[in-house]
Amino acid sequence: TRSRSTRPWPLFCKFMCMYIPILFPMLFSPCFSLGINDIGPAGGVALADALRVNTTLINLDLASNNIGTEGTVALANALKVNTALSVLSLFGNNVVSRGTKALIKMLKTNTTLTVIDLLGNAGVCEKLRAEMNDLLWDPAREAAREAATGQWNDTKPA
């Protein structure tokens, strides 16, 4: 038999106690700020799981949380199926080119997201930032978004 310390329940309970207070408000609020909480890559992955099923959150601020590549890639994969979120701040999260490439790939299928803030991420090269901004401002993407939501984004990202 396994001892109590090797059972998965203590880890599960610890996870639930840490993240339920964070994730629960996301289910009912259109705007959510989790900035400067140092949730790390594991927190980014947990948020990605919540974003897959969330239909109400439209603005998510994850500034200065050190989610890194693992968290960014997980968020990008989740946002491929999320049709509610329109603003995402990843300011100061150690996002590098692999995470930016995952966001660019996601933007090719997600027409709802209109703003992604990647300032304060030294690992994001200008070429990738420009490619992402071009996707965010693409007229065909905007037409699809307008048809789906009835809203038009008239503010080109910097």
mmCIF file of all heavy atoms in Angstrom, residues 64-91:
data_model
loop_
_atom_site.group_PDB
_atom_site.id
_atom_site.type_symbol
_atom_site.label_atom_id
_atom_site.label_comp_id
_atom_site.label_asym_id
_atom_site.label_seq_id
_atom_site.Cartn_x
_atom_site.Cartn_y
_atom_site.Cartn_z
ATOM 1 N N SER A 64 3.279 40.855 -15.209
ATOM 2 C CA SER A 64 4.317 40.556 -14.215
ATOM 3 C C SER A 64 4.028 39.310 -13.386
ATOM 4 O O SER A 64 4.030 39.343 -12.163
ATOM 5 C CB SER A 64 4.517 41.765 -13.296
ATOM 6 O OG SER A 64 4.875 42.897 -14.045
ATOM 7 N N ASN A 65 3.771 38.208 -14.060
ATOM 8 C CA ASN A 65 3.501 36.950 -13.376
ATOM 9 C C ASN A 65 4.510 35.852 -13.684
ATOM 10 O O ASN A 65 4.381 34.739 -13.194
ATOM 11 C CB ASN A 65 2.094 36.445 -13.701
ATOM 12 C CG ASN A 65 1.072 37.013 -12.768
ATOM 13 O OD1 ASN A 65 1.150 36.779 -11.568
ATOM 14 N ND2 ASN A 65 0.134 37.778 -13.296
ATOM 15 N N ASN A 66 5.491 36.155 -14.527
ATOM 16 C CA ASN A 66 6.553 35.207 -14.814
ATOM 17 C C ASN A 66 6.026 33.867 -15.319
ATOM 18 O O ASN A 66 6.482 32.808 -14.905
ATOM 19 C CB ASN A 66 7.433 35.008 -13.574
ATOM 20 C CG ASN A 66 8.755 34.357 -13.912
ATOM 21 O OD1 ASN A 66 9.270 34.511 -15.008
ATOM 22 N ND2 ASN A 66 9.302 33.617 -12.957
ATOM 23 N N ILE A 67 5.044 33.900 -16.255
ATOM 24 C CA ILE A 67 4.479 32.649 -16.765
ATOM 25 C C ILE A 67 5.383 31.978 -17.783
ATOM 26 O O ILE A 67 5.241 30.794 -18.050
ATOM 27 C CB ILE A 67 3.058 32.826 -17.337
ATOM 28 C CG1 ILE A 67 3.057 33.733 -18.557
ATOM 29 C CG2 ILE A 67 2.102 33.309 -16.272
ATOM 30 C CD1 ILE A 67 1.742 33.748 -19.291
ATOM 31 N N GLY A 68 6.311 32.721 -18.362
ATOM 32 C CA GLY A 68 7.306 32.147 -19.255
ATOM 33 C C GLY A 68 6.726 31.466 -20.484
ATOM 34 O O GLY A 68 5.554 31.634 -20.829
ATOM 35 N N THR A 69 7.557 30.656 -21.118
ATOM 36 C CA THR A 69 7.175 29.990 -22.360
ATOM 37 C C THR A 69 6.070 28.964 -22.132
ATOM 38 O O THR A 69 5.088 28.920 -22.878
ATOM 39 C CB THR A 69 8.404 29.298 -22.993
ATOM 40 O OG1 THR A 69 9.378 30.305 -23.272
ATOM 41 C CG2 THR A 69 8.043 28.582 -24.268
ATOM 42 N N GLU A 70 6.210 28.139 -21.099
ATOM 43 C CA GLU A 70 5.219 27.083 -20.841
ATOM 44 C C GLU A 70 3.822 27.668 -20.620
ATOM 45 O O GLU A 70 2.845 27.208 -21.200
ATOM 46 C CB GLU A 70 5.637 26.264 -19.620
ATOM 47 C CG GLU A 70 4.689 25.124 -19.300
ATOM 48 C CD GLU A 70 5.078 24.371 -18.033
ATOM 49 O OE1 GLU A 70 6.117 24.681 -17.425
ATOM 50 O OE2 GLU A 70 4.301 23.483 -17.644
ATOM 51 N N GLY A 71 3.724 28.699 -19.796
ATOM 52 C CA GLY A 71 2.432 29.327 -19.537
ATOM 53 C C GLY A 71 1.869 30.032 -20.756
ATOM 54 O O GLY A 71 0.670 29.967 -21.031
ATOM 55 N N THR A 72 2.741 30.693 -21.530
ATOM 56 C CA THR A 72 2.295 31.404 -22.726
ATOM 57 C C THR A 72 1.777 30.436 -23.786
ATOM 58 O O THR A 72 0.729 30.672 -24.393
ATOM 59 C CB THR A 72 3.445 32.252 -23.318
ATOM 60 O OG1 THR A 72 3.942 33.127 -22.307
ATOM 61 C CG2 THR A 72 2.973 33.066 -24.494
ATOM 62 N N VAL A 73 2.489 29.345 -24.009
ATOM 63 C CA VAL A 73 2.053 28.349 -24.992
ATOM 64 C C VAL A 73 0.721 27.729 -24.561
ATOM 65 O O VAL A 73 -0.183 27.544 -25.383
ATOM 66 C CB VAL A 73 3.145 27.275 -25.208
ATOM 67 C CG1 VAL A 73 2.624 26.098 -26.025
ATOM 68 C CG2 VAL A 73 4.362 27.895 -25.868
ATOM 69 N N ALA A 74 0.572 27.434 -23.281
ATOM 70 C CA ALA A 74 -0.694 26.876 -22.775
ATOM 71 C C ALA A 74 -1.833 27.866 -22.976
ATOM 72 O O ALA A 74 -2.935 27.488 -23.408
ATOM 73 C CB ALA A 74 -0.561 26.508 -21.300
ATOM 74 N N LEU A 75 -1.600 29.146 -22.683
ATOM 75 C CA LEU A 75 -2.637 30.169 -22.898
ATOM 76 C C LEU A 75 -2.993 30.280 -24.376
ATOM 77 O O LEU A 75 -4.173 30.369 -24.729
ATOM 78 C CB LEU A 75 -2.169 31.524 -22.361
ATOM 79 C CG LEU A 75 -2.145 31.684 -20.857
ATOM 80 C CD1 LEU A 75 -1.428 32.976 -20.476
ATOM 81 C CD2 LEU A 75 -3.559 31.683 -20.282
ATOM 82 N N ALA A 76 -1.985 30.273 -25.234
ATOM 83 C CA ALA A 76 -2.246 30.365 -26.675
ATOM 84 C C ALA A 76 -3.089 29.189 -27.153
ATOM 85 O O ALA A 76 -4.042 29.377 -27.923
ATOM 86 C CB ALA A 76 -0.929 30.424 -27.443
ATOM 87 N N ASN A 77 -2.781 27.995 -26.697
ATOM 88 C CA ASN A 77 -3.566 26.815 -27.093
ATOM 89 C C ASN A 77 -5.003 26.910 -26.592
ATOM 90 O O ASN A 77 -5.938 26.543 -27.291
ATOM 91 C CB ASN A 77 -2.893 25.540 -26.604
ATOM 92 C CG ASN A 77 -1.641 25.227 -27.382
ATOM 93 O OD1 ASN A 77 -1.504 25.608 -28.537
ATOM 94 N ND2 ASN A 77 -0.698 24.559 -26.750
ATOM 95 N N ALA A 78 -5.183 27.416 -25.376
ATOM 96 C CA ALA A 78 -6.537 27.566 -24.832
ATOM 97 C C ALA A 78 -7.325 28.627 -25.592
ATOM 98 O O ALA A 78 -8.528 28.481 -25.809
ATOM 99 C CB ALA A 78 -6.472 27.931 -23.347
ATOM 100 N N LEU A 79 -6.652 29.676 -26.004
ATOM 101 C CA LEU A 79 -7.344 30.770 -26.688
ATOM 102 C C LEU A 79 -7.737 30.418 -28.118
ATOM 103 O O LEU A 79 -8.509 31.145 -28.741
ATOM 104 C CB LEU A 79 -6.491 32.037 -26.650
ATOM 105 C CG LEU A 79 -6.373 32.659 -25.261
ATOM 106 C CD1 LEU A 79 -5.355 33.788 -25.255
ATOM 107 C CD2 LEU A 79 -7.731 33.148 -24.762
ATOM 108 N N LYS A 80 -7.258 29.300 -28.620
ATOM 109 C CA LYS A 80 -7.714 28.833 -29.936
ATOM 110 C C LYS A 80 -9.196 28.497 -29.904
ATOM 111 O O LYS A 80 -9.879 28.594 -30.917
ATOM 112 C CB LYS A 80 -6.918 27.605 -30.376
ATOM 113 C CG LYS A 80 -5.504 27.904 -30.785
ATOM 114 C CD LYS A 80 -4.777 26.624 -31.158
ATOM 115 C CE LYS A 80 -3.327 26.892 -31.496
ATOM 116 N NZ LYS A 80 -2.585 25.638 -31.786
ATOM 117 N N VAL A 81 -9.698 28.092 -28.727
ATOM 118 C CA VAL A 81 -11.105 27.704 -28.610
ATOM 119 C C VAL A 81 -11.933 28.711 -27.817
ATOM 120 O O VAL A 81 -13.147 28.601 -27.763
ATOM 121 C CB VAL A 81 -11.255 26.294 -27.987
ATOM 122 C CG1 VAL A 81 -10.629 25.253 -28.882
ATOM 123 C CG2 VAL A 81 -10.667 26.241 -26.591
ATOM 124 N N ASN A 82 -11.293 29.689 -27.201
ATOM 125 C CA ASN A 82 -12.008 30.700 -26.412
ATOM 126 C C ASN A 82 -12.506 31.784 -27.355
ATOM 127 O O ASN A 82 -11.738 32.379 -28.093
ATOM 128 C CB ASN A 82 -11.076 31.295 -25.362
ATOM 129 C CG ASN A 82 -11.752 32.345 -24.503
ATOM 130 O OD1 ASN A 82 -12.151 33.385 -25.000
ATOM 131 N ND2 ASN A 82 -11.861 32.072 -23.224
ATOM 132 N N THR A 83 -13.811 32.055 -27.322
ATOM 133 C CA THR A 83 -14.393 33.065 -28.214
ATOM 134 C C THR A 83 -14.884 34.285 -27.451
ATOM 135 O O THR A 83 -15.625 35.094 -27.998
ATOM 136 C CB THR A 83 -15.564 32.467 -29.021
ATOM 137 O OG1 THR A 83 -16.537 31.963 -28.102
ATOM 138 C CG2 THR A 83 -15.089 31.363 -29.941
ATOM 139 N N ALA A 84 -14.472 34.443 -26.197
ATOM 140 C CA ALA A 84 -14.930 35.580 -25.403
ATOM 141 C C ALA A 84 -13.840 36.618 -25.155
ATOM 142 O O ALA A 84 -14.094 37.815 -25.237
ATOM 143 C CB ALA A 84 -15.486 35.088 -24.064
ATOM 144 N N LEU A 85 -12.642 36.183 -24.859
ATOM 145 C CA LEU A 85 -11.582 37.107 -24.458
ATOM 146 C C LEU A 85 -11.183 38.019 -25.614
ATOM 147 O O LEU A 85 -10.918 37.553 -26.717
ATOM 148 C CB LEU A 85 -10.355 36.325 -23.976
ATOM 149 C CG LEU A 85 -9.335 37.133 -23.192
ATOM 150 C CD1 LEU A 85 -9.891 37.497 -21.818
ATOM 151 C CD2 LEU A 85 -8.032 36.363 -23.036
ATOM 152 N N SER A 86 -11.133 39.339 -25.349
ATOM 153 C CA SER A 86 -10.705 40.265 -26.399
ATOM 154 C C SER A 86 -9.447 41.031 -26.033
ATOM 155 O O SER A 86 -8.788 41.576 -26.913
ATOM 156 C CB SER A 86 -11.838 41.235 -26.756
ATOM 157 O OG SER A 86 -12.147 42.060 -25.672
ATOM 158 N N VAL A 87 -9.083 41.104 -24.740
ATOM 159 C CA VAL A 87 -7.883 41.829 -24.313
ATOM 160 C C VAL A 87 -7.082 40.934 -23.373
ATOM 161 O O VAL A 87 -7.615 40.410 -22.403
ATOM 162 C CB VAL A 87 -8.256 43.144 -23.588
ATOM 163 C CG1 VAL A 87 -7.010 43.855 -23.094
ATOM 164 C CG2 VAL A 87 -9.078 44.055 -24.501
ATOM 165 N N LEU A 88 -5.781 40.794 -23.671
ATOM 166 C CA LEU A 88 -4.887 39.983 -22.852
ATOM 167 C C LEU A 88 -3.597 40.751 -22.614
ATOM 168 O O LEU A 88 -2.914 41.135 -23.563
ATOM 169 C CB LEU A 88 -4.567 38.659 -23.558
ATOM 170 C CG LEU A 88 -3.553 37.736 -22.881
ATOM 171 C CD1 LEU A 88 -4.054 37.267 -21.518
ATOM 172 C CD2 LEU A 88 -3.246 36.548 -23.783
ATOM 173 N N SER A 89 -3.270 40.987 -21.356
ATOM 174 C CA SER A 89 -2.012 41.642 -21.013
ATOM 175 C C SER A 89 -1.035 40.610 -20.490
ATOM 176 O O SER A 89 -1.279 39.973 -19.469
ATOM 177 C CB SER A 89 -2.224 42.730 -19.956
ATOM 178 O OG SER A 89 -0.965 43.245 -19.560
ATOM 179 N N LEU A 90 0.072 40.486 -21.211
ATOM 180 C CA LEU A 90 1.162 39.598 -20.797
ATOM 181 C C LEU A 90 2.422 40.417 -20.533
ATOM 182 O O LEU A 90 3.538 39.933 -20.684
ATOM 183 C CB LEU A 90 1.423 38.545 -21.877
ATOM 184 C CG LEU A 90 0.311 37.540 -22.102
ATOM 185 C CD1 LEU A 90 0.620 36.636 -23.290
ATOM 186 C CD2 LEU A 90 0.067 36.715 -20.856
ATOM 187 N N PHE A 91 2.248 41.654 -20.124
ATOM 188 C CA PHE A 91 3.366 42.552 -19.843
ATOM 189 C C PHE A 91 4.295 41.911 -18.819
ATOM 190 O O PHE A 91 3.861 41.428 -17.778
ATOM 191 C CB PHE A 91 2.833 43.885 -19.301
ATOM 192 C CG PHE A 91 3.911 44.867 -18.934
ATOM 193 C CD1 PHE A 91 4.354 45.792 -19.849
ATOM 194 C CD2 PHE A 91 4.481 44.856 -17.672
ATOM 195 C CE1 PHE A 91 5.349 46.694 -19.526
ATOM 196 C CE2 PHE A 91 5.473 45.748 -17.327
ATOM 197 C CZ PHE A 91 5.914 46.670 -18.265
#
